Amino acid sequence: PVPRRQTAAMGKKKGKKKARKARKERRAADKAAEKAAVDAVVAKVEELTLRIKSELDTSDLFAPPPPKQECPICFLPMIGTLQDARYMECCGQLICYGCDKENHRVIDATNSKKKEKEKQTGTKAIMVVHSCAFCREPASTSGDEVLLRIEKRMEADDPLAYSHVASRYRSGIWGLQADGLKA
C-alpha cells in the first residue's frame, strides 16, 4: 500500500494537471472564437470593398458636373442652392443674395428720399413696400402669410417649397414647433 501522504500529494498533482488542461482548452476555445470573429469582419470588409469597386466602375467619375443654377435676374451662377440664395415664396424662384440685397437697398433709398421730401414739403408720401426682386409681389408681413404662400407653392409641387418648410420645422420659426421628424 501507498502511504497516505503520497496519495494526497498525487491528488494535488492530478488536480493541478486538470486545471492546467482546462485553462488550455479555454484558451484554445477563446482563440477559435476570436479567429472566427476576425474572419467574419474580414469577409464583411471584402464584401463592402467589392461593392464599392463595382459602384465606382459603373459610375462615371469624370462626368461633367451638373450645370450650376443661375440667378434669374443677374444670370450669375449660384454655388449652392439655399446657402447663397434666397427662396422667394411668392414665385418659387431662387434669387442670389446680391440681387435681393440690391432690391432692398434701392427700395430703402427710395423710401428715404420720399421721407426727406415729405419733411420738406409737409405732404404725406406713399412709401414703397419691399417686394420680390423677380415678380414684384409685395413681401409677406407675417409668418402666416409666408406659410400660405409656401403651401400654394407646395400644391404646385415645388420641391424647393418642401425643402424650405422642412428647414423651418427644423429651426422652429414662423410659429412652427421645432420638429425633427417633420423636418
Side-chain angles (χ1 to χ4, degrees):
V2 180
R4 201 170 191 187
R5 278 189 178 161
Q6 282 183 338
T7 55
M10 285 174 37
K12 284 183 183 178
K13 284 183 183 177
K14 283 182 183 178
K16 285 182 181 179
K17 279 185 181 180
K18 282 183 182 179
R20 267 192 239 125
K21 188 176 180 182
R23 280 193 302 263
K24 203 176 196 181
E25 288 172 356
R26 273 191 306 242
R27 279 191 218 123
D30 288 347
K31 283 184 181 179
E34 189 177 313
K35 186 178 183 322
V38 168
D39 289 343
V41 169
V42 167
K44 193 149 197 125
V45 167
E46 288 174 353
E47 177 187 327
L48 287 171
T49 303
L50 288 174
R51 193 182 83 198
I52 290 170
K53 280 183 181 178
S54 69
E55 287 176 7
L56 289 176
D57 289 343
T58 58
S59 68
D60 190 6
L61 293 176
F62 300 103
K68 292 180 179 173
Q69 191 168 0
E70 293 178 339
C71 173
I73 297 171
C74 66
F75 299 108
L76 290 175
M78 292 186 282
I79 298 168
T81 51
L82 295 176
Q83 286 77 22
D84 63 341
R86 179 162 185 251
Y87 178 74
M88 305 309 286
E89 309 89 32
C90 46
C91 56
Q93 293 291 326
L94 276 179
I95 296 174
C96 73
Y97 277 132
C99 290
D100 188 47
K101 293 291 181 195
E102 181 63 17
N103 181 42
H104 282 282
R105 188 193 66 75
V106 168
I107 290 172
D108 291 341
T110 304
N111 283 341
S112 66
K113 284 179 186 175
K114 285 187 175 191
K115 282 181 185 176
E116 284 177 27
K117 202 176 222 181
E118 185 179 281
K119 285 180 185 177
Q120 291 173 355
T121 61
T123 59
K124 187 86 172 157
I126 298 173
M127 298 296 164
V128 179
V129 178
H130 285 279
S131 60
C132 172
F134 186 74
C135 69
R136 296 295 178 204
E137 180 77 21
S140 304
T141 56
S142 68
D144 293 336
E145 190 177 342
V146 171
L147 283 174
L148 285 173
R149 286 182 176 184
I150 289 186
E151 283 175 7
K152 249 183 173 178
R153 297 298 313 157
M154 289 169 69
E155 288 172 5
D157 288 331
D158 182 2
L160 288 173
Y162 285 102
S163 172
H164 204 60
V165 168
S167 68
R168 295 316 184 240
Y169 267 114
R170 190 175 331 116
S171 57
I173 59 174
W174 295 340
L176 298 173
Q177 290 251 340
D179 188 353
L181 292 175
K182 280 190 177 181

